[in-house]
Amino acid sequence: MLRPIRIDRDSPLPHYRQISEQIIDQIQQGYLQSGARLPSSRLLSQQLGIHRKSIVHAYEELQLMDWIYTATGRGTFVSDDLPDIGPKKLTSLPETGTSSPTVDISLPDYMTMAESVTHLPYHLDDGLPDPRLIPFVELERAWKSALRRGNQYHRLGYASPQGLPPLREAIADYLSRTRGLMVTADHILLTRGVTHAFHLALTAMVKPGDKVIVPELNWANGNNAIRFHGGSLLKARIDEKGLNTDHVEELMVRNDVRMIYLTPHHQYPTTLIMPAARRIQLLELARKHGVYVFEDDYDFDFHYGNVPIMPLASARHDGLLLYAGSFTKAISPAFRVGYLVGDPALINELTKIRRIVDRQGDPTLEHALLELFRLDVLPRSLRRARGLYQKRRDVLASLLAEQLGDRVSFKVPDGGMAIWTKFAPEINLADARQRAHRLGLSFSDGAGYGREWNSTRLGFASSNEEELEEAVRILRNSLAV
């Protein structure tokens, strides 16, 4: 006998699907036995208060899947060839949704990370761009052009997992002009960002037990990626000049090191810049010990004042260096296009791995970005944002100094999109963060860097001057308790 069926009129699921799924569930639970007669479509529509067409549609779907059959002149019945299932004691009406089975997967605790997504009105974030500066009109035109121009069979079909060749050529030219990298399209693999690029490199090059040198203060997700691949972290000290290469050398002498991961341009999270002498020393160490270097250049485009120091990848490295960057800071984190630069033979192998885990990127987005390069929109947009972000950096630095006084200490960064800020020992950042959230401000409590530092990144790029003033006012009130 059919148990009561519930229709959720607010559900986006069509009525006929709700009916068919509940009937299937009752058959599987043993409430409806093989050969059981179902009510007529007219009667069930009256009972449920819905149109008869929905019942007919549900029965037709169930019949197509062989759950039920119709005998002319007799009625509709549950199929005879289903296995007998003993009915279970009904303690409550069956739920219309489906429950997930228990999955026997055991992941380490470090894989669970707090999401930084927030909908509060004010934010001093990790250092994100301002989406209001996206060249929307030009991007919309470029996207339309990518969808409509040329042979759509080719443009909207499968593409090379290495990425659109003309875009790789444009990026190679851009990296040559702005960063001094002597590369071609064959040196470049397009990715969905630095995280994706690093995952590919670790998959190919780091095996369980391999040792990887990282700065003692580092990108948490980078550390977790290394650990997930079985790598062992060797933490090198940082000082006022960034990664201490003398300590790196000590670690390399004592250990069989496979890879070094670093962010030399604006060391994450401190924004410190590695000087030229240390860069030369690091590359010499890599060549001497045959160690691969992964250079994460996540925000090279945002350097203020003096000409930025060129990346490690612009110097001689004998193919031992992989250089990664993305357009998430130049446009928005929602635009998942990045690049991995390396020796063509290595890039070819990494492309094979990419094809397995992610068949290809987003060809339409790649065509749109190519159009932005061709029209010089992206470089012009970056120049405009760079000048604006520099002003916002100065505003935040001034506000922190004026309103928070001796409760914080910081160095005005030469680049990047956030100020690395150390708080007085008596300030509990976790408590302050909770109070700030209640007042409408989000910022990180720095727990991911270690409580002993009592420091965090305060992003300035995504907020205008008025928003920064209100954010610092709320922060000051949150620290006053």
Side-chain angles (χ1 to χ4, degrees), residues 205-212 226 230-233 256-259:
M205 304 165 72
V206 174
K207 304 297 183 289
D210 284 349
K211 295 179 173 62
V212 181
I226 295 167
S232 176
L233 297 175
D256 184 13
V257 176
R258 178 60 172 167
M259 180 184 284

Side-chain angles (χ1 to χ4, degrees), residues 149-203:
R149 268 194 199 167
N151 188 319
Q152 292 182 330
Y153 177 83
H154 297 300
R155 285 205 167 208
L156 302 180
Y158 284 117
S160 167
Q162 190 172 346
L164 185 68
L167 179 57
R168 287 190 281 117
E169 291 173 3
I171 292 174
D173 177 68
Y174 180 72
L175 295 178
S176 175
R177 288 186 288 104
T178 61
R179 293 155 170 78
L181 272 64
M182 304 307 294
V183 295
T184 67
D186 291 337
H187 291 82
I188 295 174
L189 166 62
L190 297 186
T191 68
R192 295 190 184 274
V194 173
T195 300
H196 184 204
F198 194 37
H199 175 82
L200 293 173
L202 291 172
T203 301

Side-chain angles (χ1 to χ4, degrees), residues 9 28 58 81-82 142 174 184 211 231 282 312 373 423 442 475:
R9 301 182 188 277
Q28 291 177 326
D81 55 356
L82 296 176
Y174 180 72
T184 67
K211 295 179 173 62
L282 186 79
L312 295 172
F373 269 109
F423 289 75
S442 67
L475 179 61

Side-chain angles (χ1 to χ4, degrees), residues 125-144:
D125 51 44
D126 188 61
L128 301 179
D130 189 341
R132 292 169 293 193
L133 300 183
I134 295 174
F136 283 109
V137 174
E138 294 88 345
L139 180 60
E140 182 181 15
R141 289 173 181 166
W143 219 308
K144 286 182 179 179

Side-chain angles (χ1 to χ4, degrees), residues 171-462:
I171 292 174
D173 177 68
Y174 180 72
L175 295 178
S176 175
R177 288 186 288 104
T178 61
R179 293 155 170 78
L181 272 64
M182 304 307 294
V183 295
T184 67
D186 291 337
H187 291 82
I188 295 174
L189 166 62
L190 297 186
T191 68
R192 295 190 184 274
V194 173
T195 300
H196 184 204
F198 194 37
H199 175 82
L200 293 173
L202 291 172
T203 301
M205 304 165 72
V206 174
K207 304 297 183 289
D210 284 349
K211 295 179 173 62
V212 181
I213 293 178
V214 299
E216 61 178 331
L217 267 173
N218 193 36
W219 177 39
N221 203 48
N223 286 351
N224 291 342
I226 295 167
R227 295 161 70 185
F228 180 75
H229 284 82
S232 176
L233 297 175
L234 298 177
K235 296 188 176 183
R237 290 191 292 271
I238 60 170
D239 54 28
E240 70 282 356
K241 296 180 180 180
L243 188 65
N244 186 315
T245 45
D246 288 335
H247 190 218
V248 169
E249 184 173 15
E250 292 176 20
L251 294 173
M252 294 176 78
V253 169
R254 297 199 305 263
N255 299 275
D256 184 13
V257 176
R258 178 60 172 167
M259 180 184 284
I260 302 171
Y261 169 87
L262 74 165
T263 50
H265 192 56
H266 300 137
Q267 198 273 332
Y268 185 92
T270 64
T271 73
L272 296 168
I273 298 175
M274 177 184 280
R278 287 193 175 183
R279 292 167 183 249
I280 294 171
Q281 182 184 5
L282 186 79
L283 289 175
E284 288 178 347
L285 288 171
R287 287 196 296 267
K288 178 180 178 180
H289 294 273
V291 173
Y292 281 95
V293 176
F294 190 98
E295 181 179 12
D296 177 352
D297 206 356
Y298 63 99
D299 64 357
F300 179 92
D301 293 297
F302 299 103
H303 192 81
Y304 316 118
N306 296 329
V307 177
I309 297 176
M310 292 295 101
L312 295 172
S314 66
R316 179 194 162 199
H317 51 74
D318 296 346
L320 290 172
L321 189 140
L322 282 167
Y323 176 83
S326 78
F327 297 103
T328 58
K329 297 294 189 294
I331 305 177
S332 166
F335 292 83
R336 304 307 304 168
V337 178
Y339 46 85
L340 182 60
V341 183
D343 181 82
L346 179 55
I347 289 297
N348 184 58
E349 297 305 301
L350 296 179
T351 299
K352 295 176 184 177
I353 298 174
R354 194 261 170 85
R355 195 183 194 284
I356 294 296
V357 299
D358 184 21
R359 171 58 180 81
Q360 65 187 46
D362 184 338
T364 305
L365 178 56
E366 291 176 15
H367 276 286
L369 279 177
L370 176 60
E371 189 73 7
L372 294 183
F373 269 109
R374 285 174 173 166
L375 298 176
D376 197 42
V377 171
L378 195 57
R380 282 191 284 108
S381 177
L382 283 171
R383 289 192 293 270
R384 174 175 175 252
R386 188 183 302 120
L388 192 57
Y389 291 166
Q390 182 176 356
K391 292 180 181 178
R392 293 177 179 182
R393 176 204 63 177
D394 296 341
V395 167
L396 179 58
S398 177
L399 289 169
L400 291 175
E402 293 172 0
Q403 299 196 30
L404 297 184
D406 58 0
R407 285 177 286 180
V408 300
S409 60
F410 60 91
K411 176 181 179 296
V412 179
D414 292 321
M417 304 165 82
I419 295 178
W420 176 245
T421 309
K422 184 174 180 60
F423 289 75
E426 66 272 13
I427 293 175
N428 186 310
L429 277 179
D431 292 344
R433 175 179 177 271
Q434 291 182 2
R435 290 192 289 269
H437 268 230
R438 291 194 291 269
L439 296 173
L441 169 69
S442 67
F443 74 96
S444 168
D445 62 7
Y449 313 121
R451 294 293 187 190
E452 67 274 14
W453 298 93
N454 208 38
S455 303
T456 193
R457 286 167 60 91
L458 300 178
F460 52 79
S462 60

